[in-house]
């Protein structure tokens, strides 16, 4: 039986390599919600990565969360793609929030094609952000979207039912929305740090 050696002595003698995590760079993609940016380790959306947004039901105001980002990207003449949204965007409302609708395209995909279409758009390198509403998405499919977002240097937003919160996810950022008594968000997972406890209100306005 081998001799038991204290780990401290091995570290002191430099017989064990000790790695250090690379520092997390500040994001160049602010969410537009100051309270949310302050709570995220990078100060904004994880770059070239997938954000999963969990909902109690469609239409609770989830697009309010991303509209500041869509407005900023489209004003920079960058393209945004919506894959199988449950409701068509209300154009005057989006334009009033600063979104340039000429830079927004909508793909009406069948249930089986949502993930494929999202992956192709992300990989293309021509989209700044891709929003998708898959009905079914297993771990393998979500990992493909994460890889595609990194490949295409894009932001991926995947909207899913709240019941999936109990499942593990490869998303770099995982948010859960609550609509009562007002729109609030819980950070369930964030790359580069521990999720803060509690809910963040989104009713205070965005910048």
């Amino acid at each position: 039986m081998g001799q038991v050696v204290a780990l401290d002595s091995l570290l002191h003698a430099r017989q064990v390599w000790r790695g250090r995590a690379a520092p997390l760079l500040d994001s160049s993609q602010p969410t537009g919600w100051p309270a949310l940016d302050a709570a995220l380790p990078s100060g904004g959306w994880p770059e070239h990565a997938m954000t999963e947004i969990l909902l109690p039901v469609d239409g609770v105001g989830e697009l309010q969360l991303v509209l500041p980002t869509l407005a900023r990207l489209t004003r920079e003449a960058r393209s945004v793609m919506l894959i199988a949204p449950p409701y068509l965007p209300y154009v005057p409302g989006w334009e009033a929030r600063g979104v340039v609708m000429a830079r927004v395209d909508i793909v009406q995909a069948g249930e089986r094609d949502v993930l494929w279409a999202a992956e192709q758009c992300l990989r293309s390198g021509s989209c700044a952000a891709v929003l998708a509403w898959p009905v079914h998405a297993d771990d393998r499919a979500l990992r493909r979207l994460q890889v595609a977002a990194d490949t295409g240097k894009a932001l991926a937003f995947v909207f899913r039912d709240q019941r999936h919160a109990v499942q593990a996810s490869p998303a770099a950022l995982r948010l859960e929305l609550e609509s009562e008594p007002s729109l609030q968000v819980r950070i369930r997972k964030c790359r580069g740090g521990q999720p803060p406890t509690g809910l963040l209100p989104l009713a205070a306005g965005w910048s």
Side-chain angles (χ1 to χ4, degrees), residues 20 22 24 31-32 62 74 76-77 83 85 130 136 142 187 190 192 205:
R20 287 187 173 88
L24 188 67
T31 68
E62 61 271 20
T74 56
E76 295 170 355
I83 313 294
V130 176
H136 303 290
L142 293 176
I187 302 174
C190 52

Side-chain angles (χ1 to χ4, degrees), residues 95-116:
E95 289 179 337
R97 300 293 290 271
V99 179
V100 180
M101 293 304 294
R103 308 299 302 185
V104 178
D105 289 301
I106 301 173
V107 175
Q108 297 289 8
E111 184 177 319
R112 292 185 176 182
D113 298 323
V114 173
L115 292 167
W116 178 86

Side-chain angles (χ1 to χ4, degrees), residues 167-182:
Q167 302 169 357
S169 171
L173 176 63
R174 206 175 196 203
L175 304 176
E176 183 176 0
L177 287 185
E178 297 288 349
S179 58
E180 297 295 338
S182 60

Side-chain angles (χ1 to χ4, degrees), residues 16-85:
V16 174
W17 178 78
R18 178 166 52 184
R20 287 187 173 88
L24 188 67
L25 299 177
D26 290 342
S27 174
S28 64
Q29 300 284 356
T31 68
W33 298 93
L36 180 56
D37 285 339
L40 294 173
S42 63
W45 300 119
E47 302 218 40
H48 313 156
M50 181 178 69
T51 294
E52 185 179 10
I53 301 172
L54 302 166
L55 314 172
V57 65
D58 289 330
V60 296
E62 61 271 20
L63 288 176
Q64 292 185 49
L65 184 62
V66 297
L67 276 178
T69 300
L70 304 189
R72 173 174 54 81
L73 294 174
T74 56
R75 286 198 302 264
E76 295 170 355
R78 304 177 70 188
S79 296
V80 170
M81 194 73 68
L82 278 59
I83 313 294

